[in-house]
Amino acid sequence: MNKVKVGVVGLGRLGKVHAQNLRYKIPGAELTAACSIVPAELEYAKNELGVTDVYTDYKEMLAKADIDAVVIVTTSSEHCWQIEAALDAGKHVFSEKPLGVDVAQCKQAEAAVERHPELTFMLGFMRRYDKSYSYAKQKIEEGAIGTPYLVKATGIDPEAFVEGAIRFAKNSGGIFLDMAIHDIDLMRWFLGCEATEVYAMGATFKHPEFKEAGDDETGVAVYKFENGAMGMIHVGRTAPYGYHVETEIVGTEGSIRISAVPEKNQARLYNTNGVCAECVGSFPERFEEAYLIEVQEFVDCVLQGKAPGVSVYDGTKSTAIGYATTEAWRTGKAVKLN
């Protein structure tokens, strides 16, 4: 196999990012098919990507399209059955996060992956492939900050995209599964152990539609890990200035801060407002290179028969923590994890 023929399912904001990368930026991949239930997205595939083999039915694409692999960028609740269907059809699979919206779904995906050890499966925790985050991991492994014992993470989507978040709220799995899953994965990755207890709370001050959907616009969670380390997460959907993501890892001999200011670039504007730094506008912009690197790894793993750096089990563990966080948010009580 010289190239991996790929079908993408879901061509929303992030789906377009992956499709563009597959079509134009990854030499080992060939985007040959696309699937969406949204007619405008299929028109985008045909007109902007030159993909003429398009489908509204995912199972039909699996049965008929000339593809070796699928890239799944659909609603979170659809991921696991689509992963299973693709693997059972003999296709390699890359799926966006989260793996599933509950642990039972994740176990379904795990079983499918285990049935097909000959096929590559990779989950899209792209922050591990961001140069700043991978650098932080390297420095931690080198002992640059001693023993890490606290991870503090903030992730707030821009107010500019809040209407889309409101529409998605009923199917997102809740703010913690939807927005904190990357931070949960990074806490596990940086601390090198699993969470044992979580307490969470949420609030809605600006958009009551989130409450009406059974969700919140802002959430905070505190974690205890098996080695005594701690984690703190703040997620939200209403940053007025742009996309705000930052992480700090504190150790016995120092700390590492990533994106302490969510800046767009190194330029500074000096005017009557003072000294201003423009903020990055969205997650596809902030992690543009990471999205490319992770799918490049997926394609390389398919071509070379090697295992990706992120496994189905990472997805299950992070989902279990996210689900427990959601339970803690709903009940107002601390929840212990097995």
Side-chain angles (χ1 to χ4, degrees):
M1 185 190 301
N2 295 321
K3 283 197 172 185
V4 180
K5 296 178 180 179
V6 182
V8 62
V9 53
L11 282 164
R13 187 159 48 134
L14 183 52
K16 288 182 174 69
V17 172
H18 285 310
Q20 289 277 352
N21 287 338
L22 289 162
R23 176 69 177 85
Y24 298 113
K25 298 181 181 180
I26 299 177
E30 183 179 356
L31 184 63
T32 58
C35 177
S36 174
I37 59 173
V38 180
E41 293 182 1
L42 296 183
E43 289 301 311
Y44 173 86
K46 289 186 283 188
N47 298 332
E48 302 296 328
L49 302 173
V51 177
T52 56
D53 192 18
V54 299
Y55 301 85
T56 57
D57 186 288
Y58 176 65
K59 292 180 179 178
E60 183 182 6
M61 184 180 79
L62 293 178
K64 296 182 178 179
D66 181 18
I67 55 175
D68 306 304
V70 295
V71 170
I72 297 171
V73 204
T74 53
T75 301
S76 302
S77 58
E78 305 298 298
H79 289 177
C80 286
W81 79 262
Q82 290 178 339
I83 291 166
E84 181 178 46
L87 290 169
D88 287 345
K91 314 300 181 186
H92 304 278
V93 178
F94 175 94
S95 175
E96 260 305 326
K97 64 82 186 170
L99 180 62
V101 297
D102 60 44
V103 176
Q105 283 189 359
C106 294
K107 292 295 183 181
Q108 175 187 1
E110 276 189 14
V113 171
E114 290 167 354
R115 282 199 304 273
H116 299 284
E118 77 284 4
L119 297 172
T120 299
F121 173 80
M122 181 174 171
L123 189 64
F125 280 141
M126 86 294 179
R127 291 193 197 177
R128 295 194 187 196
Y129 298 90
D130 176 76
K131 288 184 177 179
S132 296
Y133 284 94
S134 61
Y135 173 81
K137 176 67 171 177
Q138 176 187 337
K139 300 309 288 184
I140 290 169
E141 291 176 344
E142 291 173 357
I145 62 169
T147 301
Y149 63 83
L150 172 63
V151 176
K152 298 185 285 185
T154 298
I156 312 174
D157 278 350
E159 172 76 23
F161 297 115
V162 73
E163 293 302 323
I166 289 170
R167 288 195 300 271
F168 182 56
K170 289 183 179 180
N171 300 312
S172 70
I175 190 170
F176 292 105
L177 278 169
D178 179 33
M179 296 196 61
I181 200 76
H182 285 299
D183 298 304
I184 289 169
D185 176 65
L186 288 173
M187 287 194 303
R188 296 179 55 247
W189 196 47
F190 287 137
L191 295 173
C193 61
E194 300 298 333
T196 59
E197 190 171 1
V198 56
Y199 176 74
M201 67 184 80
T204 297
F205 281 88
K206 195 169 184 179
H207 298 283
E209 297 93 334
F210 286 112
K211 281 287 189 186
E212 293 164 9
D215 205 357
D216 264 321
E217 67 185 15
T218 298
V220 175
V222 180
Y223 300 84
K224 181 179 180 180
F225 284 77
E226 58 191 2
N227 66 349
M230 300 165 288
M232 300 164 55
I233 287 177
H234 167 211
V235 288
R237 290 158 164 154
T238 58
Y241 45 82
Y243 177 56
H244 186 148
V245 57
E246 66 175 283
T247 308
E248 182 177 8
I249 309 101
V250 182
T252 55
E253 307 301 326
S255 62
I256 303 173
R257 295 191 73 183
I258 303 163
S259 299
V261 176
E263 57 194 11
K264 186 179 184 69
N265 52 45
Q266 294 297 312
R268 295 292 182 271
L269 177 63
Y270 295 76
N271 60 17
T272 56
N273 294 318
V275 182
C276 304
E278 186 178 357
C279 289
V280 68
S282 63
F283 65 86
E285 181 183 359
R286 167 62 180 85
F287 293 107
E288 178 182 6
E289 188 176 18
Y291 282 120
L292 174 61
I293 293 171
E294 69 170 357
V295 177
Q296 179 69 69
E297 171 161 332
F298 170 68
V299 171
D300 290 344
C301 287
V302 172
L303 291 173
Q304 299 169 21
K306 63 180 183 179
V310 185
S311 73
V312 69
Y313 306 106
D314 290 311
T316 299
K317 289 174 181 177
S318 294
T319 300
I321 297 170
Y323 198 70
T325 308
T326 302
E327 183 182 350
W329 164 71
R330 286 175 177 159
T331 62
K333 300 177 180 178
V335 172
K336 293 188 180 297
L337 293 108
N338 294 328

